[in-house]
């Protein structure tokens, strides 16, 4: 089955710094989403981005489907950005395959 | 617009018991899927339903089952609970294939 790898696994930043999270996948995908898991466990939608580039405030994402990767950019990070970021992909089988996540900690 | 609602939020059960979790999707969404999250295995797919039909099932034992009702609400059941079933169970809904999925707040199950 498809493999989803996220890097880095852990990231510690000073408030105000920028970061790039990467998601590599091993096969063609129909769908790709980025999520932020809050401390209570809920997955918060960041981007639905099977291809192309999107921006939402300080966050932006790019998916290059032909090269099988997606990037999540966080600019001017804040302590509230801390948490785990997941990439999830779907190949038309009605299920998402999740990466192992990037754990981000932003220090004040 | 109300989001995905999962009940209960927290649950403590004893080994050998069974449990039923509920998920109400966003109004108009007909696809509901379930995921299990554990520290060791990460987020894993359990099953997906669309218009009361199971379209895919993950690699879990038969003790895990689910169903979807005509109003798109879904339930999952775990029988003969084991300690390893302790996890966060997440439900997602979406309108159709190739649309954005939205997750509920999850049910945290502890088996003692």
């Amino acid at each position: 089955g498809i493999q989803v790898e996220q890097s880095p696994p852990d990231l510690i930043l000073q408030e105000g710094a920028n970061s790039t999270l990467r998601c590599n996948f091993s096969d063609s995908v129909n769908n790709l989403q980025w999520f932020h898991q809050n401390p209570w466990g809920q997955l918060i939608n960041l981007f639905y981005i099977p291809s192309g580039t999107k921006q939402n405030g300080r966050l932006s994402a790019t998916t290059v489907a032909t090269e099988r990767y997606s990037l999540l950019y966080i600019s001017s990070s804040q302590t509230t950005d801390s948490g785990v970021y997941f990439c999830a992909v779907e190949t038309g089988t009605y299920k998402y395959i999740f990466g192992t996540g990037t754990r981000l900690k932003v220090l004040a | 617009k109300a989001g995905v609602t999962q009940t209960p939020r927290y649950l403590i059960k004893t080994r050998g018991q069974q449990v039923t979790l509920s998920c109400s999707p966003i109004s108009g969404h007909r696809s509901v899927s379930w995921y299990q999250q554990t520290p060791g295995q990460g987020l894993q797919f359990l099953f997906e339903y669309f218009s009361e039909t199971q379209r895919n099932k993950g690699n879990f034992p038969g003790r895990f089952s689910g169903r979807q009702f005509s109003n798109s609400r879904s339930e999952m059941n775990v029988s003969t609970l084991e300690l390893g079933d302790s996890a966060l169970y997440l439900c997602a809904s979406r309108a159709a294939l190739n649309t954005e999925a939205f997750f509920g707040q999850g049910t945290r199950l502890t088996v003692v």
Side-chain angles (χ1 to χ4, degrees):
Chain A
I2 190 169
Q3 303 296 314
V4 182
E5 295 180 352
Q6 290 187 242
S7 60
D10 296 281
L11 190 57
I12 300 175
L13 300 173
Q14 207 64 41
E15 202 168 28
N18 302 329
S19 60
T20 301
L21 282 58
R22 188 176 180 102
C23 173
N24 291 335
F25 41 95
S26 60
D27 204 348
S28 301
V29 299
N30 289 7
N31 297 302
L32 188 147
Q33 288 190 234
W34 282 96
F35 299 94
H36 177 208
Q37 189 165 40
N38 68 21
W40 298 272
Q42 186 170 9
L43 291 172
I44 307 300
N45 287 32
L46 297 177
F47 294 101
Y48 172 71
I49 188 165
S51 63
T53 297
K54 291 186 178 180
Q55 179 155 9
N56 184 6
R58 298 182 295 105
L59 273 59
S60 63
T62 295
T63 297
V64 184
T66 53
E67 297 187 21
R68 300 179 183 169
Y69 72 89
S70 184
L71 302 174
L72 177 67
Y73 305 97
I74 305 174
S75 64
S76 304
S77 56
Q78 301 174 357
T79 55
T80 52
D81 294 331
S82 296
V84 184
Y85 290 80
F86 288 101
C87 163
V89 303
E90 184 191 22
T91 59
T93 55
Y94 311 114
K95 68 178 185 183
Y96 269 111
I97 305 298
F98 283 80
T100 51
T102 291
R103 187 174 300 273
L104 173 65
K105 186 166 187 177
V106 181
L107 305 175
Chain B
K1 191 173 182 181
V4 181
T5 303
Q6 292 188 243
T7 56
R9 293 289 312 281
Y10 302 92
L11 208 48
I12 300 176
K13 288 287 189 178
T14 304
R15 270 180 301 174
Q17 287 186 312
Q18 73 166 12
V19 66
T20 299
L21 312 182
S22 178
C23 173
S24 293
I26 292 171
S27 178
H29 285 193
R30 295 163 65 189
S31 168
V32 174
S33 52
W34 290 88
Y35 294 81
Q36 181 197 63
Q37 185 177 27
T38 59
Q41 299 298 316
L43 278 148
Q44 293 189 290
F45 170 78
L46 280 157
F47 21 67
E48 191 266 1
Y49 290 89
F50 183 87
S51 294
E52 302 180 68
T53 299
Q54 185 184 90
R55 296 193 295 190
N56 200 350
K57 187 179 192 306
N59 189 25
F60 280 83
R63 300 185 296 107
F64 291 80
S65 63
R67 59 178 174 170
Q68 187 180 34
F69 302 95
S70 58
N71 62 358
S72 294
R73 190 178 70 87
S74 177
E75 289 181 347
M76 67 163 282
N77 184 77
V78 187
S79 63
T80 319
L81 284 165
E82 301 177 358
L83 295 179
D85 298 332
S86 295
L88 178 66
Y89 290 88
L90 292 163
C91 162
S93 84
R94 56 181 175 174
L97 189 61
N98 297 334
T99 61
E100 189 173 2
F102 296 87
F103 282 80
Q105 294 178 294
T107 294
R108 195 169 295 276
L109 172 66
T110 301
V111 182
V112 298

